[in-house]
Amino acid sequence: MKRFKGFKGTPVIVLGVLLLISAFIFPSVADNIQTKGIEKAGKDLNINFPKITELVIEEGQEETNKEDIITISDEEEKVFDDIVLLIQKSTLPIALKNRELSESESNRMVELRKKFKAGEIKSEKTMAIGENLEKPYYNPENETYYYPETEMTDEDMLQIIVFDEKLNRAFSRFRETYIQEVMENLEPKISEEEAIKSAKEIVEKVYNVDLDNMKISCSFDSTGLNNKKYWSVGFQPKNLDTLREQEKLYWIYFTKVDIYDGNVVYVDSFYSNQMSEREGVAETDLNNIEEYKKMSEEILIEKLNIKNVEFLKAYVRKPNNLLPHKITSKNLYLVFKAEDRYVEMLFLYGSKRMVGLSFYDDPVELNERINKIEERSIGNIN
């Protein structure tokens, strides 16, 4: 990676592309859509893709317009490809920064991104890549973004935005190459159409919603333990861009469907106001979770028609001290034996709303996932 030194080219806050959704990493993608940085899975993942927030690529954006936004040289392309490979091997949960953006910088960044994606502004420069450079710059060796201590100019932030776009494209190239190689050696027994049908049915049952007018995305996904393969199916409002711009509330739903047996193994939801929803809520008492258990059992028994449900345990996942509070909050998990499978139900900590659920065929697999969460991030386990 020494070739990065002194490369003047661009931070990564990035991708996000609800690319639907390149990587579903337990516990919940939903919260991570709020992050300001690249979030990466642990070593147990076969492949990791960033889950971003600030830089969400607009679904309706024409490819020709995107190509007009920036130009990237062959040399730069190789550099960004190397950064992607480095990030894939990383164990850091997010990209680090020497400081957070100020409120003014955050507001200006949002507006600059909108103008950039609309083709109204451009920059021929990219944020520098290397170490001990004039700020702002990105150091791939420690995966850290270095911002100047003083308020950044619009040009500084525009160079960051250009860097983000170039890194997004590098991740897209990486993903396309990887998926092509994997798919050449696979013979899925479940088609995309069958996966979408199964995903739609379970989301409508679990969340009591009608998805007929939602935009559907389906893509191949290879994440999680044991190198399992899935169809990742997502549902979002067709006018999502407008809802965001007008700061209106909306829901997005995510699922994973096994490509061999068609079982839905993961269901998750994102509510655009759920960060505010958590503010000021009382802490969950693990000794008083009867209401949570009742809600979970109603979903499993009445909505999913699972006959034999047995509660096993509950635990709280606390915010990792590496992560800013806004990126992750406490989550409450309830684990059940559900006939011949195991189910982990996720609730917002202090809230009575069930966010998502995950199915496991083997309790060992579930315990491995729980055990891989760093000790300092785990609360009491009953």
Side-chain angles (χ1 to χ4, degrees), residues 77-108:
E77 191 170 287
K78 292 177 182 178
V79 169
F80 281 97
D81 287 344
D82 279 353
I83 293 177
V84 169
L85 293 176
L86 182 150
I87 291 173
Q88 297 306 311
K89 298 175 183 177
S90 173
T91 57
L92 288 176
I94 61 169
L96 303 177
K97 294 173 284 188
N98 66 320
R99 70 169 177 84
E100 295 295 326
L101 294 178
S102 68
E103 183 177 356
S104 169
E105 287 172 324
S106 294
N107 292 336
R108 286 190 289 128

mmCIF file of all heavy atoms in Angstrom, residues 77-108:
data_model
loop_
_atom_site.group_PDB
_atom_site.id
_atom_site.type_symbol
_atom_site.label_atom_id
_atom_site.label_comp_id
_atom_site.label_asym_id
_atom_site.label_seq_id
_atom_site.Cartn_x
_atom_site.Cartn_y
_atom_site.Cartn_z
ATOM 1 N N GLU A 77 -7.613 4.951 -10.852
ATOM 2 C CA GLU A 77 -8.463 3.770 -10.759
ATOM 3 C C GLU A 77 -7.753 2.662 -10.001
ATOM 4 O O GLU A 77 -8.345 1.989 -9.157
ATOM 5 C CB GLU A 77 -8.850 3.310 -12.160
ATOM 6 C CG GLU A 77 -9.938 2.264 -12.168
ATOM 7 C CD GLU A 77 -10.476 2.010 -13.566
ATOM 8 O OE1 GLU A 77 -11.211 2.879 -14.086
ATOM 9 O OE2 GLU A 77 -10.150 0.943 -14.129
ATOM 10 N N LYS A 78 -6.459 2.467 -10.268
ATOM 11 C CA LYS A 78 -5.686 1.439 -9.567
ATOM 12 C C LYS A 78 -5.550 1.774 -8.088
ATOM 13 O O LYS A 78 -5.615 0.883 -7.228
ATOM 14 C CB LYS A 78 -4.305 1.303 -10.215
ATOM 15 C CG LYS A 78 -4.344 0.721 -11.621
ATOM 16 C CD LYS A 78 -2.959 0.684 -12.242
ATOM 17 C CE LYS A 78 -3.028 0.144 -13.673
ATOM 18 N NZ LYS A 78 -1.686 0.153 -14.319
ATOM 19 N N VAL A 79 -5.359 3.059 -7.786
ATOM 20 C CA VAL A 79 -5.237 3.475 -6.393
ATOM 21 C C VAL A 79 -6.524 3.199 -5.626
ATOM 22 O O VAL A 79 -6.514 2.647 -4.521
ATOM 23 C CB VAL A 79 -4.880 4.978 -6.295
ATOM 24 C CG1 VAL A 79 -5.013 5.474 -4.858
ATOM 25 C CG2 VAL A 79 -3.460 5.216 -6.802
ATOM 26 N N PHE A 80 -7.658 3.552 -6.210
ATOM 27 C CA PHE A 80 -8.932 3.328 -5.540
ATOM 28 C C PHE A 80 -9.259 1.838 -5.433
ATOM 29 O O PHE A 80 -9.857 1.390 -4.455
ATOM 30 C CB PHE A 80 -10.058 4.087 -6.253
ATOM 31 C CG PHE A 80 -10.089 5.547 -5.898
ATOM 32 C CD1 PHE A 80 -9.492 6.484 -6.719
ATOM 33 C CD2 PHE A 80 -10.699 5.979 -4.731
ATOM 34 C CE1 PHE A 80 -9.503 7.834 -6.390
ATOM 35 C CE2 PHE A 80 -10.722 7.325 -4.389
ATOM 36 C CZ PHE A 80 -10.122 8.250 -5.220
ATOM 37 N N ASP A 81 -8.854 1.064 -6.418
ATOM 38 C CA ASP A 81 -9.036 -0.382 -6.336
ATOM 39 C C ASP A 81 -8.250 -0.947 -5.153
ATOM 40 O O ASP A 81 -8.711 -1.842 -4.443
ATOM 41 C CB ASP A 81 -8.582 -1.064 -7.632
ATOM 42 C CG ASP A 81 -9.554 -0.837 -8.784
ATOM 43 O OD1 ASP A 81 -10.707 -0.420 -8.515
ATOM 44 O OD2 ASP A 81 -9.173 -1.069 -9.947
ATOM 45 N N ASP A 82 -7.042 -0.411 -4.931
ATOM 46 C CA ASP A 82 -6.227 -0.854 -3.800
ATOM 47 C C ASP A 82 -6.879 -0.475 -2.464
ATOM 48 O O ASP A 82 -6.819 -1.237 -1.500
ATOM 49 C CB ASP A 82 -4.827 -0.239 -3.876
ATOM 50 C CG ASP A 82 -3.911 -0.997 -4.828
ATOM 51 O OD1 ASP A 82 -4.332 -2.064 -5.304
ATOM 52 O OD2 ASP A 82 -2.795 -0.527 -5.095
ATOM 53 N N ILE A 83 -7.481 0.698 -2.420
ATOM 54 C CA ILE A 83 -8.163 1.116 -1.185
ATOM 55 C C ILE A 83 -9.311 0.161 -0.875
ATOM 56 O O ILE A 83 -9.522 -0.231 0.271
ATOM 57 C CB ILE A 83 -8.683 2.563 -1.308
ATOM 58 C CG1 ILE A 83 -7.511 3.541 -1.401
ATOM 59 C CG2 ILE A 83 -9.547 2.918 -0.092
ATOM 60 C CD1 ILE A 83 -7.933 4.982 -1.601
ATOM 61 N N VAL A 84 -10.049 -0.220 -1.909
ATOM 62 C CA VAL A 84 -11.159 -1.153 -1.715
ATOM 63 C C VAL A 84 -10.649 -2.475 -1.150
ATOM 64 O O VAL A 84 -11.217 -3.032 -0.203
ATOM 65 C CB VAL A 84 -11.912 -1.390 -3.037
ATOM 66 C CG1 VAL A 84 -12.879 -2.562 -2.904
ATOM 67 C CG2 VAL A 84 -12.661 -0.138 -3.446
ATOM 68 N N LEU A 85 -9.573 -2.999 -1.705
ATOM 69 C CA LEU A 85 -9.015 -4.263 -1.213
ATOM 70 C C LEU A 85 -8.569 -4.136 0.230
ATOM 71 O O LEU A 85 -8.741 -5.052 1.041
ATOM 72 C CB LEU A 85 -7.832 -4.691 -2.095
ATOM 73 C CG LEU A 85 -8.185 -5.086 -3.525
ATOM 74 C CD1 LEU A 85 -6.918 -5.382 -4.318
ATOM 75 C CD2 LEU A 85 -9.112 -6.299 -3.541
ATOM 76 N N LEU A 86 -7.996 -2.996 0.572
ATOM 77 C CA LEU A 86 -7.565 -2.763 1.947
ATOM 78 C C LEU A 86 -8.758 -2.755 2.898
ATOM 79 O O LEU A 86 -8.733 -3.363 3.972
ATOM 80 C CB LEU A 86 -6.804 -1.435 2.031
ATOM 81 C CG LEU A 86 -6.214 -1.030 3.387
ATOM 82 C CD1 LEU A 86 -4.969 -0.182 3.173
ATOM 83 C CD2 LEU A 86 -7.219 -0.247 4.234
ATOM 84 N N ILE A 87 -9.818 -2.069 2.500
ATOM 85 C CA ILE A 87 -11.003 -1.970 3.348
ATOM 86 C C ILE A 87 -11.645 -3.337 3.541
ATOM 87 O O ILE A 87 -12.158 -3.654 4.613
ATOM 88 C CB ILE A 87 -12.008 -0.968 2.752
ATOM 89 C CG1 ILE A 87 -11.441 0.458 2.855
ATOM 90 C CG2 ILE A 87 -13.354 -1.048 3.452
ATOM 91 C CD1 ILE A 87 -12.273 1.507 2.148
ATOM 92 N N GLN A 88 -11.614 -4.178 2.504
ATOM 93 C CA GLN A 88 -12.207 -5.505 2.627
ATOM 94 C C GLN A 88 -11.530 -6.328 3.712
ATOM 95 O O GLN A 88 -12.146 -7.174 4.353
ATOM 96 C CB GLN A 88 -12.105 -6.263 1.301
ATOM 97 C CG GLN A 88 -12.862 -5.637 0.155
ATOM 98 C CD GLN A 88 -14.320 -5.398 0.492
ATOM 99 O OE1 GLN A 88 -15.004 -6.284 0.984
ATOM 100 N NE2 GLN A 88 -14.791 -4.196 0.242
ATOM 101 N N LYS A 89 -10.247 -6.091 3.934
ATOM 102 C CA LYS A 89 -9.491 -6.874 4.911
ATOM 103 C C LYS A 89 -9.521 -6.236 6.303
ATOM 104 O O LYS A 89 -9.018 -6.808 7.263
ATOM 105 C CB LYS A 89 -8.029 -7.005 4.453
ATOM 106 C CG LYS A 89 -7.868 -7.728 3.125
ATOM 107 C CD LYS A 89 -6.420 -7.710 2.671
ATOM 108 C CE LYS A 89 -6.258 -8.377 1.308
ATOM 109 N NZ LYS A 89 -4.856 -8.310 0.824
ATOM 110 N N SER A 90 -10.093 -5.079 6.400
ATOM 111 C CA SER A 90 -10.055 -4.338 7.656
ATOM 112 C C SER A 90 -10.976 -4.939 8.702
ATOM 113 O O SER A 90 -11.987 -5.555 8.405
ATOM 114 C CB SER A 90 -10.457 -2.883 7.410
ATOM 115 O OG SER A 90 -10.585 -2.178 8.624
ATOM 116 N N THR A 91 -10.617 -4.736 9.980
ATOM 117 C CA THR A 91 -11.478 -5.143 11.092
ATOM 118 C C THR A 91 -12.083 -3.931 11.787
ATOM 119 O O THR A 91 -12.812 -4.083 12.762
ATOM 120 C CB THR A 91 -10.676 -5.958 12.127
ATOM 121 O OG1 THR A 91 -9.569 -5.176 12.595
ATOM 122 C CG2 THR A 91 -10.168 -7.250 11.510
ATOM 123 N N LEU A 92 -11.769 -2.734 11.293
ATOM 124 C CA LEU A 92 -12.357 -1.537 11.888
ATOM 125 C C LEU A 92 -13.842 -1.474 11.553
ATOM 126 O O LEU A 92 -14.246 -1.781 10.438
ATOM 127 C CB LEU A 92 -11.672 -0.276 11.349
ATOM 128 C CG LEU A 92 -10.242 -0.006 11.829
ATOM 129 C CD1 LEU A 92 -9.684 1.219 11.124
ATOM 130 C CD2 LEU A 92 -10.204 0.193 13.330
ATOM 131 N N PRO A 93 -14.673 -1.064 12.504
ATOM 132 C CA PRO A 93 -16.105 -1.007 12.232
ATOM 133 C C PRO A 93 -16.497 0.142 11.335
ATOM 134 O O PRO A 93 -17.490 0.073 10.626
ATOM 135 C CB PRO A 93 -16.727 -0.846 13.626
ATOM 136 C CG PRO A 93 -15.666 -0.183 14.436
ATOM 137 C CD PRO A 93 -14.366 -0.725 13.905
ATOM 138 N N ILE A 94 -15.738 1.232 11.364
ATOM 139 C CA ILE A 94 -16.042 2.376 10.509
ATOM 140 C C ILE A 94 -14.745 3.039 10.090
ATOM 141 O O ILE A 94 -13.687 2.787 10.656
ATOM 142 C CB ILE A 94 -16.916 3.434 11.228
ATOM 143 C CG1 ILE A 94 -16.169 3.977 12.440
ATOM 144 C CG2 ILE A 94 -18.255 2.880 11.615
ATOM 145 C CD1 ILE A 94 -16.816 5.192 13.067
ATOM 146 N N ALA A 95 -14.838 3.905 9.101
ATOM 147 C CA ALA A 95 -13.696 4.726 8.738
ATOM 148 C C ALA A 95 -13.522 5.781 9.821
ATOM 149 O O ALA A 95 -14.477 6.396 10.275
ATOM 150 C CB ALA A 95 -13.944 5.385 7.389
ATOM 151 N N LEU A 96 -12.291 5.983 10.254
ATOM 152 C CA LEU A 96 -12.027 6.932 11.328
ATOM 153 C C LEU A 96 -11.826 8.331 10.780
ATOM 154 O O LEU A 96 -11.447 8.518 9.626
ATOM 155 C CB LEU A 96 -10.790 6.486 12.111
ATOM 156 C CG LEU A 96 -10.857 5.065 12.702
ATOM 157 C CD1 LEU A 96 -9.532 4.721 13.384
ATOM 158 C CD2 LEU A 96 -12.003 4.952 13.678
ATOM 159 N N LYS A 97 -12.069 9.326 11.636
ATOM 160 C CA LYS A 97 -11.855 10.727 11.277
ATOM 161 C C LYS A 97 -11.174 11.430 12.433
ATOM 162 O O LYS A 97 -11.388 11.079 13.591
ATOM 163 C CB LYS A 97 -13.193 11.415 10.973
ATOM 164 C CG LYS A 97 -13.902 10.878 9.747
ATOM 165 C CD LYS A 97 -15.286 11.478 9.619
ATOM 166 C CE LYS A 97 -16.228 10.827 10.621
ATOM 167 N NZ LYS A 97 -17.632 11.237 10.405
ATOM 168 N N ASN A 98 -10.336 12.404 12.124
ATOM 169 C CA ASN A 98 -9.663 13.123 13.204
ATOM 170 C C ASN A 98 -10.616 14.061 13.941
ATOM 171 O O ASN A 98 -10.357 14.455 15.072
ATOM 172 C CB ASN A 98 -8.460 13.908 12.666
ATOM 173 C CG ASN A 98 -8.865 15.038 11.737
ATOM 174 O OD1 ASN A 98 -9.780 14.864 10.924
ATOM 175 N ND2 ASN A 98 -8.224 16.192 11.850
ATOM 176 N N ARG A 99 -11.746 14.366 13.318
ATOM 177 C CA ARG A 99 -12.776 15.171 13.984
ATOM 178 C C ARG A 99 -14.088 15.026 13.228
ATOM 179 O O ARG A 99 -14.112 14.625 12.060
ATOM 180 C CB ARG A 99 -12.379 16.657 14.054
ATOM 181 C CG ARG A 99 -12.384 17.384 12.711
ATOM 182 C CD ARG A 99 -12.238 18.886 12.901
ATOM 183 N NE ARG A 99 -12.166 19.621 11.653
ATOM 184 C CZ ARG A 99 -13.225 20.022 10.940
ATOM 185 N NH1 ARG A 99 -14.452 19.729 11.362
ATOM 186 N NH2 ARG A 99 -13.067 20.707 9.821
ATOM 187 N N GLU A 100 -15.190 15.359 13.885
ATOM 188 C CA GLU A 100 -16.487 15.351 13.242
ATOM 189 C C GLU A 100 -16.688 16.650 12.468
ATOM 190 O O GLU A 100 -16.069 17.683 12.774
ATOM 191 C CB GLU A 100 -17.608 15.213 14.289
ATOM 192 C CG GLU A 100 -17.602 13.884 15.028
ATOM 193 C CD GLU A 100 -17.879 12.712 14.121
ATOM 194 O OE1 GLU A 100 -18.661 12.883 13.163
ATOM 195 O OE2 GLU A 100 -17.314 11.632 14.358
ATOM 196 N N LEU A 101 -17.539 16.618 11.469
ATOM 197 C CA LEU A 101 -17.894 17.834 10.761
ATOM 198 C C LEU A 101 -18.686 18.743 11.693
ATOM 199 O O LEU A 101 -19.463 18.280 12.522
ATOM 200 C CB LEU A 101 -18.747 17.520 9.535
ATOM 201 C CG LEU A 101 -18.093 16.734 8.395
ATOM 202 C CD1 LEU A 101 -19.131 16.482 7.303
ATOM 203 C CD2 LEU A 101 -16.900 17.468 7.834
ATOM 204 N N SER A 102 -18.460 20.046 11.561
ATOM 205 C CA SER A 102 -19.265 20.988 12.332
ATOM 206 C C SER A 102 -20.678 21.008 11.756
ATOM 207 O O SER A 102 -20.929 20.480 10.667
ATOM 208 C CB SER A 102 -18.658 22.394 12.262
ATOM 209 O OG SER A 102 -18.788 22.909 10.942
ATOM 210 N N GLU A 103 -21.605 21.602 12.469
ATOM 211 C CA GLU A 103 -22.983 21.689 11.977
ATOM 212 C C GLU A 103 -23.029 22.437 10.646
ATOM 213 O O GLU A 103 -23.739 22.040 9.713
ATOM 214 C CB GLU A 103 -23.869 22.385 13.009
ATOM 215 C CG GLU A 103 -25.330 22.445 12.590
ATOM 216 C CD GLU A 103 -26.220 23.071 13.654
ATOM 217 O OE1 GLU A 103 -25.704 23.392 14.742
ATOM 218 O OE2 GLU A 103 -27.428 23.237 13.381
ATOM 219 N N SER A 104 -22.259 23.497 10.561
ATOM 220 C CA SER A 104 -22.217 24.274 9.324
ATOM 221 C C SER A 104 -21.653 23.444 8.176
ATOM 222 O O SER A 104 -22.185 23.450 7.060
ATOM 223 C CB SER A 104 -21.367 25.532 9.521
ATOM 224 O OG SER A 104 -21.113 26.168 8.291
ATOM 225 N N GLU A 105 -20.579 22.707 8.457
ATOM 226 C CA GLU A 105 -19.972 21.870 7.423
ATOM 227 C C GLU A 105 -20.938 20.769 6.976
ATOM 228 O O GLU A 105 -21.041 20.480 5.787
ATOM 229 C CB GLU A 105 -18.678 21.244 7.953
ATOM 230 C CG GLU A 105 -17.530 22.238 8.083
ATOM 231 C CD GLU A 105 -16.336 21.629 8.777
ATOM 232 O OE1 GLU A 105 -16.542 20.807 9.710
ATOM 233 O OE2 GLU A 105 -15.192 21.974 8.426
ATOM 234 N N SER A 106 -21.627 20.161 7.930
ATOM 235 C CA SER A 106 -22.584 19.102 7.592
ATOM 236 C C SER A 106 -23.681 19.626 6.682
ATOM 237 O O SER A 106 -24.041 18.988 5.686
ATOM 238 C CB SER A 106 -23.206 18.532 8.871
ATOM 239 O OG SER A 106 -22.232 17.868 9.642
ATOM 240 N N ASN A 107 -24.211 20.798 7.023
ATOM 241 C CA ASN A 107 -25.282 21.389 6.215
ATOM 242 C C ASN A 107 -24.792 21.734 4.814
ATOM 243 O O ASN A 107 -25.471 21.490 3.811
ATOM 244 C CB ASN A 107 -25.833 22.640 6.896
ATOM 245 C CG ASN A 107 -26.579 22.310 8.182
ATOM 246 O OD1 ASN A 107 -27.066 21.199 8.354
ATOM 247 N ND2 ASN A 107 -26.658 23.267 9.086
ATOM 248 N N ARG A 108 -23.602 22.315 4.755
ATOM 249 C CA ARG A 108 -23.066 22.674 3.441
ATOM 250 C C ARG A 108 -22.730 21.432 2.618
ATOM 251 O O ARG A 108 -22.894 21.424 1.398
ATOM 252 C CB ARG A 108 -21.820 23.553 3.606
ATOM 253 C CG ARG A 108 -22.156 24.981 4.047
ATOM 254 C CD ARG A 108 -20.946 25.886 3.961
ATOM 255 N NE ARG A 108 -19.961 25.578 4.985
ATOM 256 C CZ ARG A 108 -18.669 25.345 4.752
ATOM 257 N NH1 ARG A 108 -18.206 25.372 3.504
ATOM 258 N NH2 ARG A 108 -17.844 25.092 5.750
#
